Amino acid sequence: MKAATQEKAKTISLPVEGMTCASCVLRVEKALKEVEGVQDAAVNLASEKARITYDPSIASVQALRKAVEDKGYTLVVPDESPGAGKERPGGTPDTVSASKGEAFKKLRSDTILSAALALPIMVLSMVSMTDWYMRQAPLSMETTNRILFLLTSVVMFVPGRRFFKSLWTNVRHRTADMNTLVAVGTGAAYLYSTLVVLFPEVLGSFGNAHEVYFDTAATIITLILFGKLMEASAKRRASDAIRKLLALQPNVARVLRDGIETEIPIADVAVGDVILVRPGERIPVDGVITRGFSVIDESMMTGESLPVEKKAGERVVGGTVNLNGSMEFRTTAIGKDSVLARIISLVEDAQGSKAPVQGLADKIASVFVPAVIAIAAITFVLWYTVGGLPFTPALINFIAVLIIACPCALGLATPTAIMVGTGVGARMGILIRDAESLERTREVRTVVFDKTGTLTMGKPEVTGVIPLNGTTASHLLTMAASAERLSEHPLARAIVRSAERDGIQLEEAGAFQSITGLGVAADIHGTPVLVGNLPFMKEYAIRSGPEVEAEVMRAAARGETSVVVAIDGTVAGVIAMGDTLRPTSPEAIRALQAMGLETVLLTGDNETAAKVIAAGAGIDTVIAGVLPEQKAGHIKALQSRGKIVAMVGDGINDAPALAQADIGIAIGTGTDVAMETAGITLMNGDLSGVARAFRLSGRTLRTIKQNLFWAFIYNVIGIPLAALGMLNPMLAAFAMAFSSVSVVSNSLRLKRLGG
């Protein structure tokens, strides 16, 4: 395999048809990884999807499909012809959903037909063994067996056809899976019984010609189909999160073009279009309000139940609900670039990823089916040759071993819990990038917080304008705001907002330069203006003086941040700003500390200001005065002491630290860069989501371990019991059918966390 470079790599998620157990998953993964140009492939049995990272210049989608088909499975590739199969926001073609729906209906109808036939087969088989039937029945035993043969043949080759079709495919590809076990087991019972009825002379001395096992074959097929139906239904509930997210986007949008209001399909909306939304309607796409005021329900996006007020200039997100007030907004993102599409993509990726804890199950699954077939064969030979059992009881033990073994439970143990856990997280406003992030979160012992925009509201406001050296407060604020108007830093925005509230007309700034972590420099009508901290002034050889330093210290003692303003080489004054704690920050910190986690504040602010904020939040450890590029180094230093570290941040300057941490947790109200770097994103900016993410991780990992335990113990106990002749094949079929259902049902208990 030729590895794709990170720059060229493309990741796609495609449905896979024909998988039934963990063995199938491993074969599909191996086939994909053997394609030249494929960097990685992860296949999920619960979602029935393959997530493939490959180099498009080396590998093609058609090559991927052929590799999977060569192993007997189908990789569903969307139709790329013009106008074919428009995709939903998350990139899942509607045709795939329709195909899954049809498959579910077919499974349901097969199960009903099989049950309708298996019931009379079972009753007739039981009644025919009674003395009354032997003496008074109008039908001879030969006729009775022929009726059982006809009814069972329908069960085997109509609803049960799927198992034998899969067996034939496996034989052609020299592989084996769960369907192989079912087909061989039921096929052996059916074939033996058919020979008894139609060709008794073929069996010779193998047994009594009246001993038929049509009821065993038909009941096993029915029970396993019923189990698969329940499993499919449970898996549909496990993937509710994706379906609910897909349902959020309306099919049409009301667009204002050339002054005319037109209703068009959502796929025809373009960036820049003006969209009209009336009260009670769902917002179709992302945008910025240009006219109107309303209250928006963003609960499906953020997990926050309280509606949010929105006015002109503020962002709205597609999929949220406009509760009251008509408004117009200009479209800023559509399709895969929208917030809804990115959320769906993140959830799908997480649900399709593989947790490290799955490794042991994968190793066992790789040899499971061949090992079970070998054990069944040995069981038959030993009972027949050494144990002295007649042919038919030895055959029954052979069938029981095949039927009791369940590789499905092993394959579903981890992915179903991941699907439900990440789905619950999405409903709570917690987006988890992948299963590894979910598992790794459980191991974290130290949580490091950025200050501005993370612990605090991130919108500092001007609390004091102190003019010096003969400058007026109005002139000081005018020059500072004019210099800062091109900066995106929160302190800069606070200064600009303060000037605008005072009705100050800002000037055009030239030669603008921003020095990260220090300040900005600009020319205002030829006059050089510097706005920044004391080290920034020293960089430009501006003498601050004791009065300036005293004002800076006084602001710091109040927990406020201040900037020094120099005009034409002379300090003109100091502007103080304060940033308040998020209301949920102290409670969130207490919740984490109650879990035994260490909390640390890591900030670029001076130590005095940082300690004021830390005291309010309840954080004991403070690392202050850290430049953005130094944050990752401090995370690394904590890791070097053996700590498993989570970093919580929101800004571009937090991205390196988020990447360095064992788990990065981004505040979703922050920047896209932070969200792309982090393993977990809190969509509503509420820090209590950090504690919820840790609890969700713990519960999900506990559920996975429970699932794996029951999947392993089921096979460890069941297979020996069957081999020892202590398990009836029909009871084994019942147990096999419900083993997978129990694993999925246990995973569904995680939904209680979501309320």
Side-chain angles (χ1 to χ4, degrees), residues 350 417-435 437-442 592 595 680-682 688-704 747 749-755:
I418 296 295
M419 282 181 68
V420 178
T422 53
V424 167
R427 196 163 68 247
M428 295 164 63
I430 303 168
L431 298 184
I432 300 164
R433 176 170 295 280
D434 52 35
S437 296
L438 190 65
E439 182 174 340
R440 190 69 167 157
T441 301
R442 179 63 176 166
L592 292 172
M595 296 178 189
I680 296 174
T681 298
L682 307 181
S688 60
V690 178
R692 287 199 295 270
F694 277 87
R695 282 194 291 269
L696 177 62
S697 171
R699 284 288 299 276
T700 304
L701 262 293
R702 188 155 63 247
T703 300
I704 289 173
S747 299
R749 293 192 306 128
L750 285 168
K751 283 194 169 187
R752 298 174 188 171
L753 284 174

Side-chain angles (χ1 to χ4, degrees), residues 178-523:
M178 186 206 78
N179 288 330
T180 305
L181 302 179
V182 175
V184 171
T186 58
Y190 173 79
L191 179 61
Y192 175 80
S193 301
T194 300
L195 291 175
V196 167
V197 173
L198 302 181
F199 310 102
E201 67 280 359
V202 173
L203 295 176
S205 61
F206 282 151
N208 189 325
H210 293 293
E211 293 181 3
V212 294
Y213 297 95
F214 290 122
D215 56 335
T216 298
T219 304
I220 287 172
I221 291 288
T222 302
L223 287 172
I224 292 174
L225 284 174
F226 184 64
K228 288 176 73 69
L229 180 65
M230 291 188 66
E231 176 190 320
S233 179
K235 282 162 67 177
R236 282 159 67 93
R237 293 200 303 275
S239 60
D240 275 349
I242 291 292
R243 286 202 303 278
K244 288 179 179 178
L245 287 170
L246 285 170
L248 289 180
Q249 188 175 56
N251 293 320
V252 296
R254 196 175 294 106
V255 181
L256 191 63
R257 290 177 176 172
D258 300 323
I260 301 173
E261 183 180 322
T262 310
E263 195 171 86
I264 64 172
I266 196 71
D268 295 336
V269 175
V271 172
D273 277 340
V274 175
I275 309 294
L276 287 76
V277 184
R278 297 192 177 104
E281 293 181 340
R282 198 172 288 278
I283 295 169
V285 292
D286 297 0
V288 175
I289 299 175
T290 55
R291 181 188 298 179
F293 171 87
S294 187
V295 177
I296 310 295
D297 178 3
E298 297 183 333
S299 57
M300 272 305 294
M301 293 288 179
T302 65
E304 176 56 59
S305 59
L306 294 177
V308 182
E309 292 183 351
K310 298 280 186 176
K311 59 182 182 297
E314 294 189 320
R315 186 178 72 160
V316 291
V317 177
T320 56
V321 180
N322 179 31
L323 295 180
N324 56 46
S326 296
M327 64 179 180
E328 297 177 6
F329 67 89
R330 190 171 301 279
T331 304
T332 57
I334 57 174
K336 63 182 177 60
D337 297 322
S338 68
V339 170
L340 177 59
R342 288 167 55 209
I343 289 174
I344 293 173
S345 179
L346 276 172
V347 175
E348 283 188 325
D349 286 349
Q351 293 187 343
S353 61
K354 186 171 291 190
V357 73
Q358 176 71 15
L360 177 60
D362 285 348
K363 289 177 182 177
I364 293 175
S366 64
V367 297
F368 187 88
V369 174
V372 168
I373 293 174
I375 293 170
I378 293 169
T379 297
F380 172 79
V381 170
L382 290 179
W383 276 115
Y384 186 62
T385 60
V386 180
L389 277 185
F391 180 85
T392 50
L395 179 65
I396 291 300
N397 291 344
F398 167 81
I399 294 169
V401 171
L402 292 177
I403 299 303
I404 191 63
C406 188
C408 297
L410 287 174
L412 291 169
T414 298
T416 51
I418 296 295
M419 282 181 68
V420 178
T422 53
V424 167
R427 196 163 68 247
M428 295 164 63
I430 303 168
L431 298 184
I432 300 164
R433 176 170 295 280
D434 52 35
E436 186 173 357
S437 296
L438 190 65
E439 182 174 340
R440 190 69 167 157
T441 301
R442 179 63 176 166
E443 301 171 6
V444 169
R445 300 267 52 92
T446 301
V447 186
V448 178
F449 291 90
D450 169 54
K451 182 177 79 69
T452 305
T454 301
L455 281 173
T456 66
M457 295 298 294
K459 280 192 174 182
E461 298 296 337
V462 172
T463 57
V465 179
I466 303 100
L468 299 170
N469 298 324
T471 305
T472 65
S474 176
H475 183 60
L476 175 65
L477 190 55
T478 299
M479 298 299 275
S482 298
E484 292 276 27
R485 68 185 304 180
L486 297 178
S487 173
E488 292 299 323
H489 193 281
L491 297 181
R493 304 318 303 160
I495 293 172
V496 172
R497 282 196 304 272
S498 179
E500 290 174 344
R501 277 197 297 267
D502 289 350
I504 294 174
Q505 184 70 36
L506 300 184
E507 305 289 345
E508 290 294 327
F512 175 82
Q513 185 179 14
S514 176
I515 312 299
T516 304
L518 295 175
V520 302
D523 275 358

Side-chain angles (χ1 to χ4, degrees), residues 76-218:
V76 181
V77 178
D79 186 356
E80 296 180 354
S81 61
K86 284 189 181 292
E87 293 191 354
R88 301 288 289 172
T92 303
D94 291 331
T95 51
V96 173
S97 299
S99 175
K100 281 193 173 185
E102 289 301 317
F104 183 80
K105 289 178 182 177
K106 179 68 168 60
L107 176 59
R108 184 171 56 194
S109 63
D110 281 349
T111 304
I112 293 171
L113 174 60
S114 186
L117 293 172
L119 183 60
I121 291 171
M122 177 67 73
V123 171
L124 185 56
S125 295
M126 293 175 65
V127 171
S128 67
M129 291 185 290
T130 64
D131 292 337
W132 169 85
Y133 192 88
M134 296 289 188
R135 293 192 307 269
Q136 302 183 29
L139 301 176
S140 66
M141 185 58 68
E142 181 180 355
T143 302
T144 300
N145 285 344
R146 287 181 181 273
I147 292 172
L148 290 173
F149 162 72
L150 291 174
L151 293 175
T152 305
S153 296
V154 176
V155 173
M156 297 294 285
F157 301 114
V158 181
R161 177 175 178 268
R162 64 183 65 219
F163 301 110
F164 297 96
K165 183 180 177 182
S166 178
L167 172 63
W168 173 241
T169 300
N170 288 334
V171 168
R172 286 192 296 113
H173 292 92
R174 296 185 295 278
T175 60
D177 59 16
M178 186 206 78
N179 288 330
T180 305
L181 302 179
V182 175
V184 171
T186 58
Y190 173 79
L191 179 61
Y192 175 80
S193 301
T194 300
L195 291 175
V196 167
V197 173
L198 302 181
F199 310 102
E201 67 280 359
V202 173
L203 295 176
S205 61
F206 282 151
N208 189 325
H210 293 293
E211 293 181 3
V212 294
Y213 297 95
F214 290 122
D215 56 335
T216 298

Side-chain angles (χ1 to χ4, degrees), residues 6-62:
Q6 192 65 34
E7 292 76 12
K8 294 181 180 179
K10 177 182 179 181
T11 300
I12 56 173
S13 181
L14 298 174
V16 182
E17 294 179 350
M19 297 190 301
T20 58
C21 64
S23 301
C24 302
V25 168
L26 294 178
R27 276 195 290 277
V28 175
E29 279 186 357
K30 184 179 178 183
L32 289 169
K33 289 177 179 178
E34 287 175 350
V35 176
E36 186 178 12
V38 171
Q39 184 180 35
D40 190 31
V43 180
N44 188 304
L45 179 61
S47 64
E48 298 177 347
K49 284 188 175 183
R51 188 168 180 265
I52 311 155
T53 302
Y54 70 105
D55 183 345
S57 66
I58 300 174
S60 67
V61 174
Q62 300 307 320

